[in-house]
Short mmCIF file of all heavy atoms in Angstrom, two decimals:
data_model
loop_
_atom_site.label_atom_id
_atom_site.label_comp_id
_atom_site.label_asym_id
_atom_site.label_seq_id
_atom_site.Cartn_x
_atom_site.Cartn_y
_atom_site.Cartn_z
N ARG P 107 25.49 90.87 -63.79
CA ARG P 107 25.30 91.42 -62.45
C ARG P 107 23.83 91.70 -62.22
O ARG P 107 23.09 92.02 -63.14
CB ARG P 107 26.08 92.73 -62.26
CG ARG P 107 27.57 92.60 -62.32
CD ARG P 107 28.08 91.79 -61.12
NE ARG P 107 29.50 91.69 -61.11
CZ ARG P 107 30.29 92.46 -60.40
NH1 ARG P 107 29.80 93.39 -59.63
NH2 ARG P 107 31.60 92.31 -60.45
N GLU P 111 21.79 95.35 -57.40
CA GLU P 111 23.14 95.62 -56.88
C GLU P 111 23.75 96.84 -57.57
O GLU P 111 24.35 97.69 -56.93
CB GLU P 111 24.05 94.41 -57.05
CG GLU P 111 23.74 93.25 -56.13
CD GLU P 111 23.85 93.61 -54.65
OE1 GLU P 111 24.82 94.30 -54.27
OE2 GLU P 111 22.96 93.23 -53.89
N LEU P 115 24.81 100.58 -55.87
CA LEU P 115 26.12 101.22 -56.01
C LEU P 115 25.98 102.62 -56.62
O LEU P 115 26.56 103.59 -56.11
CB LEU P 115 27.04 100.35 -56.86
CG LEU P 115 27.33 98.94 -56.34
CD1 LEU P 115 28.17 98.16 -57.33
CD2 LEU P 115 27.99 98.98 -54.98
N ALA P 144 34.24 101.58 -60.55
CA ALA P 144 34.38 100.85 -59.28
C ALA P 144 34.32 99.34 -59.51
O ALA P 144 35.08 98.58 -58.89
CB ALA P 144 33.31 101.29 -58.30
N LEU P 145 33.43 98.90 -60.39
CA LEU P 145 33.34 97.46 -60.69
C LEU P 145 34.64 96.96 -61.33
O LEU P 145 35.12 95.87 -60.99
CB LEU P 145 32.15 97.18 -61.62
CG LEU P 145 30.76 97.39 -61.03
CD1 LEU P 145 29.70 97.24 -62.10
CD2 LEU P 145 30.50 96.43 -59.88
N ASP P 146 35.19 97.76 -62.24
CA ASP P 146 36.46 97.38 -62.89
C ASP P 146 37.60 97.32 -61.87
O ASP P 146 38.40 96.37 -61.85
CB ASP P 146 36.81 98.35 -64.01
CG ASP P 146 35.95 98.17 -65.24
OD1 ASP P 146 35.32 97.10 -65.38
OD2 ASP P 146 35.89 99.11 -66.06
N VAL P 147 37.68 98.35 -61.03
CA VAL P 147 38.75 98.40 -60.02
C VAL P 147 38.60 97.24 -59.04
O VAL P 147 39.59 96.59 -58.67
CB VAL P 147 38.76 99.77 -59.30
CG1 VAL P 147 39.67 99.74 -58.09
CG2 VAL P 147 39.18 100.87 -60.26
N ALA P 148 37.37 96.95 -58.63
CA ALA P 148 37.13 95.84 -57.69
C ALA P 148 37.55 94.51 -58.32
O ALA P 148 38.21 93.69 -57.67
CB ALA P 148 35.67 95.79 -57.29
N SER P 149 37.18 94.31 -59.56
CA SER P 149 37.54 93.07 -60.25
C SER P 149 39.05 92.95 -60.42
O SER P 149 39.63 91.90 -60.16
CB SER P 149 36.85 93.04 -61.62
OG SER P 149 37.24 91.90 -62.34
N PHE P 150 39.68 94.04 -60.83
CA PHE P 150 41.12 94.03 -61.06
C PHE P 150 41.90 93.77 -59.78
O PHE P 150 42.91 93.09 -59.78
CB PHE P 150 41.54 95.38 -61.68
CG PHE P 150 42.99 95.42 -62.07
CD1 PHE P 150 43.44 94.76 -63.20
CD2 PHE P 150 43.91 96.13 -61.31
CE1 PHE P 150 44.78 94.80 -63.57
CE2 PHE P 150 45.25 96.16 -61.66
CZ PHE P 150 45.69 95.49 -62.79
N ASN P 151 41.41 94.31 -58.65
CA ASN P 151 42.11 94.19 -57.37
C ASN P 151 41.56 93.09 -56.48
O ASN P 151 41.95 92.97 -55.33
CB ASN P 151 42.06 95.53 -56.62
CG ASN P 151 42.92 96.56 -57.28
OD1 ASN P 151 44.13 96.52 -57.17
ND2 ASN P 151 42.30 97.49 -58.00
N ASN P 152 40.62 92.30 -57.01
CA ASN P 152 40.01 91.20 -56.26
C ASN P 152 39.43 91.70 -54.93
O ASN P 152 39.69 91.13 -53.87
CB ASN P 152 41.02 90.08 -56.04
CG ASN P 152 40.33 88.78 -55.68
OD1 ASN P 152 39.17 88.56 -56.03
ND2 ASN P 152 41.03 87.91 -54.97
N LYS P 153 38.65 92.77 -55.01
CA LYS P 153 38.01 93.37 -53.84
C LYS P 153 36.50 93.30 -54.01
O LYS P 153 35.99 93.08 -55.11
CB LYS P 153 38.43 94.84 -53.67
CG LYS P 153 39.91 95.06 -53.49
CD LYS P 153 40.35 94.65 -52.13
CE LYS P 153 41.84 94.93 -51.93
NZ LYS P 153 42.34 94.47 -50.70
N LEU P 154 35.78 93.53 -52.93
CA LEU P 154 34.33 93.59 -53.00
C LEU P 154 33.89 94.91 -53.62
O LEU P 154 34.47 95.96 -53.32
CB LEU P 154 33.72 93.46 -51.60
CG LEU P 154 33.95 92.14 -50.87
CD1 LEU P 154 33.41 92.22 -49.46
CD2 LEU P 154 33.31 91.00 -51.63
N ASP P 155 32.86 94.84 -54.47
CA ASP P 155 32.36 96.05 -55.12
C ASP P 155 32.00 97.12 -54.10
O ASP P 155 32.36 98.29 -54.26
CB ASP P 155 31.11 95.73 -55.96
CG ASP P 155 31.39 94.73 -57.07
OD1 ASP P 155 32.56 94.61 -57.49
OD2 ASP P 155 30.43 94.07 -57.52
N ALA P 156 31.28 96.73 -53.06
CA ALA P 156 30.82 97.70 -52.06
C ALA P 156 31.98 98.37 -51.36
O ALA P 156 31.91 99.57 -51.03
CB ALA P 156 29.91 97.01 -51.05
N ASP P 157 33.08 97.65 -51.13
CA ASP P 157 34.25 98.25 -50.48
C ASP P 157 34.90 99.31 -51.37
O ASP P 157 35.29 100.38 -50.90
CB ASP P 157 35.29 97.18 -50.13
CG ASP P 157 34.82 96.25 -49.03
OD1 ASP P 157 33.85 96.59 -48.32
OD2 ASP P 157 35.44 95.17 -48.87
N VAL P 158 35.00 99.01 -52.66
CA VAL P 158 35.60 99.97 -53.58
C VAL P 158 34.70 101.21 -53.71
O VAL P 158 35.20 102.34 -53.70
CB VAL P 158 35.85 99.33 -54.97
CG1 VAL P 158 36.34 100.35 -55.97
CG2 VAL P 158 36.86 98.18 -54.83
N VAL P 159 33.40 101.00 -53.79
CA VAL P 159 32.48 102.15 -53.86
C VAL P 159 32.62 103.01 -52.61
O VAL P 159 32.66 104.24 -52.71
CB VAL P 159 31.02 101.66 -54.06
CG1 VAL P 159 30.03 102.79 -53.84
CG2 VAL P 159 30.85 101.07 -55.45
N ARG P 160 32.69 102.39 -51.47
CA ARG P 160 32.85 103.14 -50.21
C ARG P 160 34.17 103.93 -50.22
O ARG P 160 34.21 105.09 -49.81
CB ARG P 160 32.79 102.19 -49.02
CG ARG P 160 32.73 102.86 -47.68
CD ARG P 160 32.50 101.91 -46.49
NE ARG P 160 33.15 100.62 -46.58
CZ ARG P 160 32.52 99.47 -46.88
NH1 ARG P 160 31.24 99.45 -47.12
NH2 ARG P 160 33.20 98.34 -46.95
N ASP P 161 35.24 103.33 -50.74
CA ASP P 161 36.52 104.03 -50.82
C ASP P 161 36.45 105.19 -51.80
O ASP P 161 36.98 106.27 -51.54
CB ASP P 161 37.63 103.05 -51.22
CG ASP P 161 37.97 102.06 -50.12
OD1 ASP P 161 37.61 102.30 -48.95
OD2 ASP P 161 38.58 101.02 -50.44
N PHE P 162 35.79 104.98 -52.95
CA PHE P 162 35.63 106.07 -53.93
C PHE P 162 34.82 107.21 -53.31
O PHE P 162 35.15 108.39 -53.49
CB PHE P 162 34.94 105.57 -55.19
CG PHE P 162 35.84 104.87 -56.17
CD1 PHE P 162 37.07 104.36 -55.81
CD2 PHE P 162 35.44 104.70 -57.48
CE1 PHE P 162 37.89 103.71 -56.72
CE2 PHE P 162 36.23 104.06 -58.41
CZ PHE P 162 37.46 103.56 -58.03
N LYS P 175 45.42 102.50 -52.32
CA LYS P 175 45.64 101.04 -52.41
C LYS P 175 45.28 100.48 -53.78
O LYS P 175 45.64 99.37 -54.12
CB LYS P 175 44.88 100.32 -51.30
CG LYS P 175 43.39 100.52 -51.32
CD LYS P 175 42.75 99.87 -50.10
CE LYS P 175 41.43 100.55 -49.78
NZ LYS P 175 41.03 100.36 -48.42
N TYR P 176 44.54 101.28 -54.58
CA TYR P 176 44.17 100.86 -55.94
C TYR P 176 45.09 101.51 -56.99
O TYR P 176 44.85 101.38 -58.18
CB TYR P 176 42.72 101.24 -56.24
CG TYR P 176 41.74 100.76 -55.21
CD1 TYR P 176 40.97 101.65 -54.48
CD2 TYR P 176 41.59 99.40 -54.94
CE1 TYR P 176 40.08 101.22 -53.52
CE2 TYR P 176 40.71 98.95 -53.98
CZ TYR P 176 39.95 99.87 -53.27
OH TYR P 176 39.08 99.43 -52.32
#
Side-chain angles (χ1 to χ4, degrees):
R107 295 293 183 98
E111 288 300 317
L115 300 176
L145 292 173
D146 286 342
V147 169
S149 176
F150 185 75
N151 289 285
N152 198 25
K153 300 286 183 185
L154 296 174
D155 299 336
D157 291 344
V158 174
V159 168
R160 189 173 37 256
D161 290 342
F162 279 18
K175 60 186 155 202
Y176 308 119

